[in-house]
Amino acid sequence: YFVKVAWAWTFWLLLPFIAVTTYQFAESKFLYGPTKSVLTVLRRLSALLVGTAVWYVCTGLFIYIENLTGMCSTSGKLGEPRRLYATKQECHQDNGIWSGFDISGHCFLLSYCAMMIVEEVAVLEGLSIDQNSKLRVVVNGLFVSLCFLTMIWVFMFLCTAVYFHDFSQKLLGVLTGLSAWYGTYRFWYLKPFSPGLPLPNIPLSSKKYGYSR
């Protein structure tokens, strides 16, 4: 159940982290005024809306594929007419077992969430905050929480890889998650009309900033 709401955990931790770090970065590095800094924050927060759309569309697609390819096995009495089930939910309501091609939503979501967190926390490489500032305590607290959450996602991913689904279902789940990450942070977010990267137009692999400590 913790993994089923993985996007909610990721969303509510990234929301304050992106807002605080983007505002601080816009003011200190680009010398933006309050209005332009707020607009920059809103633009970057739209990445969470994109992530929500990716989660919703992909999980809905996985459910559709499983319903389309599945069949229901029930322990009905002999002589009773065989009922046709359109969805997995209908099958489970009659205590049946649904067998369809179940692409691993956990592998998709955990890989996507972990990669998104890694991309977003990279903003700390270019952020300067006063050593004794309360803001620094808040940012560090959020950073540690996101790191801990990423560790949980990696552990849950390993559990899913060992105990659930077959290889093709897990592979397609991971490929979907990585494709969603690559299509956003490595392609679309480099374009002008996009939420943008945590550090403007600089891919993670080429960032040269240093987080002052």
Side-chain angles (χ1 to χ4, degrees):
Y1 289 104
F2 191 81
V3 178
K4 283 184 181 295
V5 291
W7 177 245
W9 292 106
T10 305
F11 182 97
W12 289 114
L13 274 179
L14 280 177
L15 180 65
F17 181 85
I18 293 174
V20 171
T21 56
T22 302
Y23 188 87
Q24 183 68 19
F25 195 88
E27 279 199 325
S28 62
K29 291 292 183 181
F30 298 109
L31 304 178
Y32 289 169
T35 301
K36 194 168 184 180
S37 295
V38 170
L39 292 176
T40 304
V41 170
L42 293 176
R43 180 189 177 192
R44 287 268 37 258
L45 286 177
S46 65
L48 294 177
L49 297 179
V50 174
T52 302
V54 168
W55 160 75
Y56 183 82
V57 170
C58 289
T59 53
L61 179 62
F62 295 166
I63 293 173
Y64 175 77
I65 292 174
E66 186 179 11
N67 288 333
L68 189 66
T69 59
M71 294 181 61
C72 184
S73 300
T74 58
S75 56
K77 296 180 181 179
L78 293 175
E80 287 186 352
R82 189 180 184 89
R83 179 184 170 185
L84 296 178
Y85 296 87
T87 66
K88 182 179 180 179
Q89 184 179 9
E90 291 179 4
C91 178
H92 285 176
Q93 286 176 351
D94 280 358
N95 298 319
I97 299 175
W98 186 265
S99 57
F101 190 75
D102 183 16
I103 300 174
S104 178
H106 287 183
C107 285
F108 150 70
L109 190 56
L110 294 174
S111 59
Y112 180 63
C113 286
M115 294 302 298
M116 188 171 182
I117 291 173
V118 169
E119 289 284 353
E120 293 297 338
V121 298
V123 72
L124 294 182
E125 296 180 19
L127 195 62
S128 298
I129 304 177
D130 181 46
Q131 185 71 29
N132 299 318
S133 172
K134 291 182 179 179
L135 180 61
R136 188 181 184 87
V137 176
V138 172
V139 171
N140 285 343
L142 290 170
F143 173 70
V144 171
S145 299
L146 286 167
C147 289
F148 182 68
L149 187 64
T150 304
M151 291 173 60
I152 294 177
W153 292 161
V154 172
F155 174 73
M156 295 287 190
F157 181 90
L158 293 175
C159 291
T160 302
V162 172
Y163 294 109
F164 300 97
H165 299 277
D166 61 32
F167 178 76
S168 60
Q169 294 167 354
K170 288 180 283 195
L171 179 63
L172 279 176
V174 173
L175 290 178
T176 304
L178 294 180
S179 297
W181 157 74
Y182 190 89
T184 51
Y185 284 90
R186 288 293 182 269
F187 181 73
W188 182 31
Y189 290 0
L190 298 176
K191 308 296 182 182
F193 298 101
S194 72
L197 292 170
L199 296 183
N201 300 322
I202 305 175
L204 183 63
S205 59
S206 63
K207 290 170 184 171
K208 303 297 183 184
Y209 298 96
Y211 182 37
S212 62
R213 290 178 171 82

